[in-house]
Structures are given as structure tokens and as C-alpha cells.
Tab-separated table of all heavy atoms in Angstrom:
chain	number	residue	atom	x	y	z
A	1	HIS	N	0.837	-1.196	0.000
A	1	HIS	CA	0.000	0.000	0.000
A	1	HIS	C	0.874	1.249	0.000
A	1	HIS	O	2.037	1.204	0.382
A	1	HIS	CB	-0.921	0.027	1.218
A	1	HIS	CG	-1.837	-1.150	1.286
A	1	HIS	ND1	-2.919	-1.303	0.448
A	1	HIS	CD2	-1.829	-2.240	2.088
A	1	HIS	CE1	-3.535	-2.428	0.738
A	1	HIS	NE2	-2.889	-3.026	1.734
A	2	LYS	N	0.298	2.365	-0.404
A	2	LYS	CA	1.013	3.635	-0.362
A	2	LYS	C	1.087	4.130	1.079
A	2	LYS	O	0.129	4.029	1.828
A	2	LYS	CB	0.303	4.687	-1.211
A	2	LYS	CG	0.272	4.350	-2.684
A	2	LYS	CD	1.635	4.544	-3.269
A	2	LYS	CE	1.585	4.255	-4.765
A	2	LYS	NZ	2.887	4.197	-5.357
A	3	ALA	N	2.211	4.679	1.454
A	3	ALA	CA	2.411	5.164	2.822
A	3	ALA	C	2.654	6.664	2.839
A	3	ALA	O	3.365	7.171	3.696
A	3	ALA	CB	3.574	4.422	3.462
A	4	THR	N	2.041	7.379	1.922
A	4	THR	CA	2.264	8.810	1.823
A	4	THR	C	1.861	9.529	3.107
A	4	THR	O	2.582	10.411	3.583
A	4	THR	CB	1.466	9.390	0.634
A	4	THR	OG1	1.789	8.629	-0.529
A	4	THR	CG2	1.802	10.841	0.406
A	5	ALA	N	0.736	9.153	3.692
A	5	ALA	CA	0.270	9.807	4.922
A	5	ALA	C	1.230	9.548	6.083
A	5	ALA	O	1.551	10.463	6.846
A	5	ALA	CB	-1.127	9.333	5.277
A	6	SER	N	1.708	8.328	6.221
A	6	SER	CA	2.628	7.996	7.313
A	6	SER	C	3.968	8.701	7.138
A	6	SER	O	4.567	9.145	8.117
A	6	SER	CB	2.861	6.488	7.387
A	6	SER	OG	1.670	5.830	7.739
A	7	ILE	N	4.420	8.805	5.903
A	7	ILE	CA	5.678	9.513	5.643
A	7	ILE	C	5.523	10.987	5.984
A	7	ILE	O	6.404	11.602	6.598
A	7	ILE	CB	6.119	9.314	4.182
A	7	ILE	CG1	6.498	7.848	3.950
A	7	ILE	CG2	7.283	10.228	3.827
A	7	ILE	CD1	6.692	7.473	2.493
A	8	GLY	N	4.394	11.565	5.627
A	8	GLY	CA	4.130	12.964	5.974
A	8	GLY	C	4.046	13.166	7.478
A	8	GLY	O	4.542	14.166	8.013
A	9	ASP	N	3.416	12.219	8.191
A	9	ASP	CA	3.344	12.298	9.656
A	9	ASP	C	4.738	12.236	10.272
A	9	ASP	O	5.037	12.955	11.228
A	9	ASP	CB	2.488	11.160	10.212
A	9	ASP	CG	1.014	11.320	9.900
A	9	ASP	OD1	0.600	12.434	9.518
A	9	ASP	OD2	0.282	10.317	10.029
A	10	ALA	N	5.594	11.370	9.736
A	10	ALA	CA	6.948	11.258	10.257
A	10	ALA	C	7.726	12.550	10.039
A	10	ALA	O	8.448	13.018	10.922
A	10	ALA	CB	7.679	10.087	9.594
A	11	GLU	N	7.568	13.151	8.865
A	11	GLU	CA	8.263	14.410	8.586
A	11	GLU	C	7.785	15.528	9.499
A	11	GLU	O	8.590	16.310	10.012
A	11	GLU	CB	8.069	14.798	7.123
A	11	GLU	CG	8.820	13.919	6.149
A	11	GLU	CD	8.503	14.242	4.693
A	11	GLU	OE1	7.617	15.072	4.436
A	11	GLU	OE2	9.155	13.642	3.821
A	12	SER	N	6.476	15.621	9.719
A	12	SER	CA	5.971	16.689	10.589
A	12	SER	C	6.377	16.473	12.038
A	12	SER	O	6.697	17.433	12.746
A	12	SER	CB	4.452	16.818	10.460
A	12	SER	OG	3.812	15.680	10.968
A	13	SER	N	6.399	15.221	12.494
A	13	SER	CA	6.834	14.939	13.870
A	13	SER	C	8.306	15.279	14.056
A	13	SER	O	8.698	15.834	15.080
A	13	SER	CB	6.601	13.465	14.209
A	13	SER	OG	5.237	13.169	14.248
A	14	ALA	N	9.115	14.946	13.067
A	14	ALA	CA	10.539	15.265	13.152
A	14	ALA	C	10.760	16.773	13.146
A	14	ALA	O	11.590	17.299	13.897
A	14	ALA	CB	11.295	14.614	11.994
A	15	GLY	N	10.008	17.483	12.312
A	15	GLY	CA	10.131	18.936	12.276
A	15	GLY	C	9.702	19.578	13.575
A	15	GLY	O	10.334	20.527	14.057
A	16	LYS	N	8.638	19.062	14.175
A	16	LYS	CA	8.158	19.588	15.451
A	16	LYS	C	9.198	19.367	16.548
A	16	LYS	O	9.471	20.253	17.349
A	16	LYS	CB	6.840	18.924	15.825
A	16	LYS	CG	6.241	19.438	17.099
A	16	LYS	CD	4.927	18.742	17.397
A	16	LYS	CE	4.407	19.165	18.756
A	16	LYS	NZ	3.239	18.395	19.163
A	17	ALA	N	9.782	18.175	16.582
A	17	ALA	CA	10.803	17.880	17.592
A	17	ALA	C	12.021	18.775	17.420
A	17	ALA	O	12.582	19.279	18.393
A	17	ALA	CB	11.212	16.407	17.513
A	18	ALA	N	12.415	19.006	16.167
A	18	ALA	CA	13.576	19.863	15.918
A	18	ALA	C	13.293	21.309	16.320
A	18	ALA	O	14.135	21.969	16.923
A	18	ALA	CB	13.964	19.795	14.444
A	19	SER	N	12.094	21.812	16.009
A	19	SER	CA	11.790	23.202	16.346
A	19	SER	C	11.659	23.396	17.849
A	19	SER	O	12.053	24.432	18.378
A	19	SER	CB	10.515	23.659	15.641
A	19	SER	OG	9.394	22.943	16.112
A	20	GLU	N	11.126	22.415	18.554
A	20	GLU	CA	11.027	22.526	20.006
A	20	GLU	C	12.405	22.491	20.647
A	20	GLU	O	12.644	23.165	21.641
A	20	GLU	CB	10.151	21.413	20.574
A	20	GLU	CG	8.685	21.608	20.305
A	20	GLU	CD	7.832	20.480	20.848
A	20	GLU	OE1	8.384	19.525	21.428
A	20	GLU	OE2	6.606	20.560	20.697
A	21	GLY	N	13.305	21.711	20.071
A	21	GLY	CA	14.668	21.661	20.605
A	21	GLY	C	15.407	22.967	20.392
A	21	GLY	O	16.138	23.444	21.258
A	22	LYS	N	15.216	23.598	19.227
A	22	LYS	CA	15.869	24.874	18.941
A	22	LYS	C	15.284	26.001	19.775
A	22	LYS	O	15.969	26.954	20.109
A	22	LYS	CB	15.727	25.211	17.456
A	22	LYS	CG	16.555	24.329	16.562
A	22	LYS	CD	16.346	24.685	15.109
A	22	LYS	CE	17.063	23.704	14.201
A	22	LYS	NZ	16.755	23.945	12.799
A	23	ALA	N	13.998	25.912	20.095
A	23	ALA	CA	13.339	26.966	20.867
A	23	ALA	C	13.698	26.884	22.344
A	23	ALA	O	13.347	27.773	23.108
A	23	ALA	CB	11.827	26.865	20.692
A	24	GLY	N	14.377	25.830	22.743
A	24	GLY	CA	14.784	25.680	24.129
A	24	GLY	C	13.650	25.271	25.047
A	24	GLY	O	13.710	25.482	26.246
A	25	LYS	N	12.599	24.697	24.488
A	25	LYS	CA	11.465	24.263	25.294
A	25	LYS	C	11.903	23.107	26.185
A	25	LYS	O	12.438	22.115	25.708
A	25	LYS	CB	10.315	23.827	24.385
A	25	LYS	CG	9.074	23.419	25.133
A	25	LYS	CD	7.945	23.076	24.183
A	25	LYS	CE	6.725	22.639	24.959
A	25	LYS	NZ	5.639	22.234	24.067
A	26	GLN	N	11.694	23.275	27.460
A	26	GLN	CA	12.092	22.254	28.421
A	26	GLN	C	11.033	21.164	28.490
A	26	GLN	O	9.845	21.457	28.591
A	26	GLN	CB	12.289	22.870	29.804
A	26	GLN	CG	13.414	23.872	29.860
A	26	GLN	CD	14.763	23.222	29.615
A	26	GLN	OE1	15.030	22.129	30.091
A	26	GLN	NE2	15.614	23.889	28.876
A	27	LYS	N	11.471	19.939	28.427
A	27	LYS	CA	10.575	18.802	28.579
A	27	LYS	C	11.107	17.928	29.694
A	27	LYS	O	12.294	17.664	29.767
A	27	LYS	CB	10.479	17.986	27.292
A	27	LYS	CG	9.702	18.655	26.206
A	27	LYS	CD	9.415	17.682	25.098
A	27	LYS	CE	8.487	18.312	24.096
A	27	LYS	NZ	8.082	17.369	23.067
A	28	GLY	N	10.214	17.514	30.516
A	28	GLY	CA	10.586	16.633	31.611
A	28	GLY	C	9.341	16.015	32.198
A	28	GLY	O	8.228	16.238	31.721
A	29	LEU	N	9.517	15.270	33.244
A	29	LEU	CA	8.376	14.617	33.863
A	29	LEU	C	7.445	15.626	34.528
A	29	LEU	O	6.263	15.362	34.684
A	29	LEU	CB	8.847	13.582	34.875
A	29	LEU	CG	9.583	12.380	34.280
A	29	LEU	CD1	10.040	11.439	35.376
A	29	LEU	CD2	8.682	11.642	33.313
């Protein structure tokens, strides 16, 4: 099957994680 939606989800999740890391957003418990 085509996985275009899953590939797009992976790209957006990676971009979100990268932008949060650059913004200095603290994550913890």
C-alpha cells in the first residue's frame, strides 16, 4: 500500500521535535 500519509506524519513529527529543541522548550516529567 502507499504510505504517503505515514511519511508525511513522520516528517511533521521530526520537524516539530527539531523546532522545540531549537526553541529551548524544556521537557521533563
Side-chain angles (χ1 to χ4, degrees):
H1 301 287
K2 296 287 182 190
T4 307
S6 294
I7 293 169
D9 290 344
E11 289 174 354
S12 67
S13 293
K16 182 179 174 187
S19 65
E20 286 179 359
K22 289 179 186 174
K25 183 177 179 183
Q26 296 294 320
K27 287 192 173 185
L29 293 178

